[in-house]
Amino acid sequence: MIGILIGCLTLVVVGWAIVKGKYAPLVLFASGAFMLACAVFFDTGTFMPKKALPTGNDYLNIIEFIRYMFSNRLAGLGFLIMTMVGFASYMTHIGANDAFVNIAIKPLSIIRNPYILIFVAFMLGKAVSMVITSAVGLGVLCLALMGPALAALGINKKAIGAVFVTSGACSLVLLGGSTVASAKACDLSILDYVFLFKIPAGIPTVLAIGLAHVFWQRWLDRREGWNCEEHKGETLVFSEDVKRPSTAAPKIYAFLPFLPMVLVVVFSQYCISSIKLDITALMLLCVIIGMVCEVIRWRGNYDKIAAGLKVFLQSMGKALSGVVALVIAAGVFAEGFKALGMLDAIVDVAHNVGAGAVGMSILFVAITTLVTIIAGSNGASFYPLVEMVPKIARDMGVNPVTLVLPMHQASTIARPLSPVAGVVVAIAGMLQMNPFELIKRASVPCIVGLIVHHVSVFWLAI
């Protein structure tokens, strides 16, 4: 009982710290170490993995456990995330992402109906999200590129902002840090997690969000007395200079950001099963291919090639201090949570009230959504919780996908509902509008997305 009480109080403190914008990895490391120390003192549970080296002292074992987490996560999941982030930054540096975006926005010029255009613009934003995984970067870039064209057709700037603030909602990215962590928690390969569950559940969700935008933006426009015909030809003026894609990179570079997604399928049981290529090695191969393209493009200019490699390595370092540190800290936090007996208590409560997979999934989604809205970050809400899922799923005898995937996507779908989320603040600032007005415009599409996605996951998991 004492362990559960300490765990609940720690959760309150952690929630308060995240709301106050404190550095999440430090919050999770400190709270996790505290809970582990309490577990030792009150003898509520063990936490040392078999591969860790006992120190001979229970309290010093906490330090050894943290060392083990760094060693274990950096060598596997952490290094993979670092290479993914480095690859994405390298693609931006060489102009490959811009080359794709320049091609993607062309369909806008052939559509004239403003509300159909809202749907198309959202779908184009989702297409761009496949190569630009930063929610802020994605939203700002899409707004800078497509916003003026939408405004010229008379579309309300509030609707334009809402479309692009939700561009990152319900991620369909094949390779990403949260996707890798989710697949691991479900004990599935990345391909199986993505192609059997993530994308099949994501496609109807994306379509539902897009359609919800059409009807919700139209209803709000009519309520505000906005007539698109009366506003045709208007210009969209941003409050600050924004980056526009360069046209310097060759058009063929538009394929490079998708290369990892193609090769991960090619070198798998679905295609060439004789070649076994680790996903991290595959990411490094894609970077090398990109560098070869740069060698040809710049005719062997050493400084150009070296600058690209420097961007790749520096981005890996930034990922270590950001997402990777959060993943490792979340592991320490989750282990402390577990050692105090909190997970067993949650499972017992679920069994006693008759809440099976559906009930637990709704609970996790509700917590993830709430934390995402409060903190404005999908990582702070997702990584600590996903660490706890495998044990809960085993103890309840349910498919871990039914717990992980709804929570995974809820962390992205709920982000546009947070007034402190980077993408909300950035787009509201560019359009010189109140963030809460932007959230209002994004609210119904996001709520529809949460519901449709949850239903889709359980339909797939049956």
Short mmCIF file of all heavy atoms in Angstrom, two decimals, residues 2 15 41 60 67 88 113 115 128 157 213 266 268 278 290 322 326 332 353 388 393 401 443 447 453 462:
data_model
loop_
_atom_site.label_atom_id
_atom_site.label_comp_id
_atom_site.label_asym_id
_atom_site.label_seq_id
_atom_site.Cartn_x
_atom_site.Cartn_y
_atom_site.Cartn_z
N ILE A 2 1.97 1.20 0.79
CA ILE A 2 2.85 2.37 0.87
C ILE A 2 3.47 2.67 -0.49
O ILE A 2 3.66 3.83 -0.87
CB ILE A 2 3.95 2.14 1.94
CG1 ILE A 2 4.80 3.40 2.10
CG2 ILE A 2 4.84 0.95 1.57
CD1 ILE A 2 4.08 4.56 2.67
N GLY A 15 3.64 15.28 -12.98
CA GLY A 15 2.67 16.01 -13.79
C GLY A 15 2.81 17.51 -13.62
O GLY A 15 2.77 18.27 -14.60
N PHE A 41 13.89 0.60 -0.07
CA PHE A 41 13.70 0.87 1.36
C PHE A 41 12.50 0.11 1.93
O PHE A 41 12.56 -0.47 3.02
CB PHE A 41 13.50 2.38 1.58
CG PHE A 41 13.40 2.78 3.02
CD1 PHE A 41 14.54 2.93 3.79
CD2 PHE A 41 12.16 2.99 3.61
CE1 PHE A 41 14.45 3.28 5.14
CE2 PHE A 41 12.06 3.35 4.94
CZ PHE A 41 13.22 3.49 5.72
N LEU A 60 23.12 1.22 -4.46
CA LEU A 60 24.05 1.44 -5.58
C LEU A 60 23.57 0.72 -6.84
O LEU A 60 23.96 1.09 -7.96
CB LEU A 60 25.46 1.00 -5.20
CG LEU A 60 26.17 1.87 -4.17
CD1 LEU A 60 27.56 1.31 -3.86
CD2 LEU A 60 26.29 3.32 -4.67
N ARG A 67 22.96 2.98 -15.47
CA ARG A 67 24.04 2.72 -16.44
C ARG A 67 23.62 1.68 -17.46
O ARG A 67 23.86 1.82 -18.67
CB ARG A 67 25.30 2.23 -15.70
CG ARG A 67 26.48 1.94 -16.65
CD ARG A 67 27.36 0.81 -16.15
NE ARG A 67 26.67 -0.47 -16.11
CZ ARG A 67 26.48 -1.26 -17.16
NH1 ARG A 67 26.88 -0.87 -18.37
NH2 ARG A 67 25.87 -2.42 -17.03
N ALA A 88 17.02 12.62 -41.47
CA ALA A 88 16.03 13.65 -41.79
C ALA A 88 16.67 15.02 -41.94
O ALA A 88 16.34 15.78 -42.87
CB ALA A 88 14.95 13.69 -40.70
N ASN A 113 -12.86 24.68 -56.08
CA ASN A 113 -13.82 24.68 -54.99
C ASN A 113 -13.08 24.83 -53.66
O ASN A 113 -12.23 24.00 -53.32
CB ASN A 113 -14.62 23.38 -54.98
CG ASN A 113 -15.72 23.38 -53.93
OD1 ASN A 113 -15.44 23.39 -52.75
ND2 ASN A 113 -16.97 23.35 -54.38
N TYR A 115 -13.77 24.40 -50.44
CA TYR A 115 -13.86 23.41 -49.37
C TYR A 115 -13.31 22.05 -49.80
O TYR A 115 -12.82 21.28 -48.97
CB TYR A 115 -15.29 23.32 -48.86
CG TYR A 115 -15.67 24.58 -48.13
CD1 TYR A 115 -16.53 25.52 -48.72
CD2 TYR A 115 -15.15 24.87 -46.88
CE1 TYR A 115 -16.85 26.71 -48.07
CE2 TYR A 115 -15.46 26.05 -46.22
CZ TYR A 115 -16.30 26.97 -46.82
OH TYR A 115 -16.60 28.14 -46.18
N VAL A 128 3.43 15.43 -47.19
CA VAL A 128 4.69 16.09 -46.81
C VAL A 128 5.17 15.58 -45.45
O VAL A 128 6.38 15.49 -45.20
CB VAL A 128 4.50 17.62 -46.78
CG1 VAL A 128 5.77 18.31 -46.30
CG2 VAL A 128 4.14 18.13 -48.17
N LYS A 157 -8.51 32.44 -43.18
CA LYS A 157 -7.17 32.12 -42.67
C LYS A 157 -7.24 31.24 -41.42
O LYS A 157 -6.29 30.49 -41.13
CB LYS A 157 -6.38 33.39 -42.39
CG LYS A 157 -6.75 34.15 -41.12
CD LYS A 157 -5.77 35.29 -40.86
CE LYS A 157 -6.07 35.98 -39.53
NZ LYS A 157 -5.10 37.07 -39.25
N HIS A 213 -12.67 18.31 -41.35
CA HIS A 213 -12.23 19.68 -41.63
C HIS A 213 -13.19 20.38 -42.60
O HIS A 213 -13.57 21.53 -42.39
CB HIS A 213 -10.82 19.68 -42.23
CG HIS A 213 -9.72 19.87 -41.23
ND1 HIS A 213 -9.66 20.97 -40.39
CD2 HIS A 213 -8.64 19.11 -40.93
CE1 HIS A 213 -8.59 20.87 -39.63
NE2 HIS A 213 -7.96 19.76 -39.93
N VAL A 266 12.09 -3.72 -49.23
CA VAL A 266 12.85 -4.54 -50.18
C VAL A 266 13.66 -5.61 -49.45
O VAL A 266 13.65 -6.78 -49.82
CB VAL A 266 13.78 -3.65 -51.03
CG1 VAL A 266 14.74 -4.52 -51.86
CG2 VAL A 266 12.96 -2.76 -51.95
N SER A 268 13.33 -7.44 -46.79
CA SER A 268 12.49 -8.05 -45.76
C SER A 268 11.89 -9.34 -46.29
O SER A 268 12.14 -9.73 -47.44
CB SER A 268 11.35 -7.09 -45.37
OG SER A 268 10.41 -6.99 -46.43
N ASP A 278 20.09 -4.83 -40.77
CA ASP A 278 19.55 -4.15 -39.60
C ASP A 278 19.03 -2.77 -39.99
O ASP A 278 19.59 -2.11 -40.87
CB ASP A 278 20.66 -4.02 -38.54
CG ASP A 278 20.16 -3.37 -37.27
OD1 ASP A 278 19.59 -4.07 -36.44
OD2 ASP A 278 20.36 -2.14 -37.13
N GLY A 290 22.78 9.08 -50.30
CA GLY A 290 22.60 10.52 -50.43
C GLY A 290 23.92 11.24 -50.65
O GLY A 290 24.01 12.17 -51.46
N GLY A 322 17.86 15.00 -26.76
CA GLY A 322 16.42 15.23 -26.83
C GLY A 322 15.63 13.95 -26.69
O GLY A 322 15.37 13.47 -25.58
N LEU A 326 15.03 11.27 -23.46
CA LEU A 326 13.67 11.09 -22.97
C LEU A 326 13.29 9.61 -22.92
O LEU A 326 12.65 9.15 -21.97
CB LEU A 326 12.70 11.86 -23.88
CG LEU A 326 11.23 11.88 -23.47
CD1 LEU A 326 11.06 12.49 -22.09
CD2 LEU A 326 10.41 12.66 -24.49
N VAL A 332 13.69 4.42 -16.96
CA VAL A 332 13.99 4.46 -15.53
C VAL A 332 12.71 4.76 -14.73
O VAL A 332 12.42 4.13 -13.72
CB VAL A 332 15.07 5.51 -15.23
CG1 VAL A 332 15.32 5.63 -13.72
CG2 VAL A 332 16.37 5.16 -15.95
N VAL A 353 -13.01 -4.10 -11.80
CA VAL A 353 -14.13 -3.31 -12.34
C VAL A 353 -14.59 -3.86 -13.69
O VAL A 353 -15.49 -3.31 -14.31
CB VAL A 353 -13.75 -1.82 -12.48
CG1 VAL A 353 -13.37 -1.24 -11.13
CG2 VAL A 353 -12.62 -1.63 -13.49
N MET A 388 5.36 0.99 -19.92
CA MET A 388 4.59 0.19 -18.96
C MET A 388 3.67 -0.83 -19.63
O MET A 388 3.18 -1.75 -18.97
CB MET A 388 3.74 1.12 -18.08
CG MET A 388 4.52 2.22 -17.40
SD MET A 388 3.40 3.32 -16.50
CE MET A 388 4.52 4.68 -16.11
N ALA A 393 -0.15 -5.62 -20.59
CA ALA A 393 -0.77 -6.46 -21.62
C ALA A 393 -0.61 -7.94 -21.28
O ALA A 393 -1.55 -8.73 -21.43
CB ALA A 393 -0.14 -6.15 -22.98
N VAL A 401 -1.02 -4.36 -28.95
CA VAL A 401 -1.33 -3.37 -29.98
C VAL A 401 -2.56 -2.55 -29.60
O VAL A 401 -2.63 -1.35 -29.86
CB VAL A 401 -1.54 -4.04 -31.36
CG1 VAL A 401 -2.02 -3.03 -32.40
CG2 VAL A 401 -0.25 -4.68 -31.83
N SER A 443 -10.45 21.51 -33.25
CA SER A 443 -10.99 20.63 -32.21
C SER A 443 -11.82 19.47 -32.75
O SER A 443 -11.54 18.30 -32.43
CB SER A 443 -11.83 21.46 -31.23
OG SER A 443 -12.91 22.10 -31.91
N ILE A 447 -11.00 15.44 -32.49
CA ILE A 447 -11.87 14.55 -31.72
C ILE A 447 -12.38 13.41 -32.59
O ILE A 447 -12.40 12.25 -32.18
CB ILE A 447 -13.03 15.34 -31.10
CG1 ILE A 447 -12.50 16.31 -30.04
CG2 ILE A 447 -14.06 14.40 -30.49
CD1 ILE A 447 -13.52 17.31 -29.54
N HIS A 453 -9.87 6.46 -34.97
CA HIS A 453 -8.66 5.65 -34.84
C HIS A 453 -8.82 4.55 -33.80
O HIS A 453 -8.41 3.40 -34.02
CB HIS A 453 -7.46 6.54 -34.47
CG HIS A 453 -6.16 5.79 -34.45
ND1 HIS A 453 -5.61 5.28 -33.30
CD2 HIS A 453 -5.33 5.42 -35.46
CE1 HIS A 453 -4.50 4.65 -33.59
NE2 HIS A 453 -4.30 4.71 -34.88
N ILE A 462 -9.17 -7.58 -33.73
CA ILE A 462 -10.13 -8.67 -33.45
C ILE A 462 -9.63 -10.00 -34.06
O ILE A 462 -9.25 -10.03 -35.20
CB ILE A 462 -11.53 -8.35 -34.00
CG1 ILE A 462 -12.13 -7.17 -33.23
CG2 ILE A 462 -12.45 -9.56 -33.89
CD1 ILE A 462 -13.47 -6.74 -33.75
#
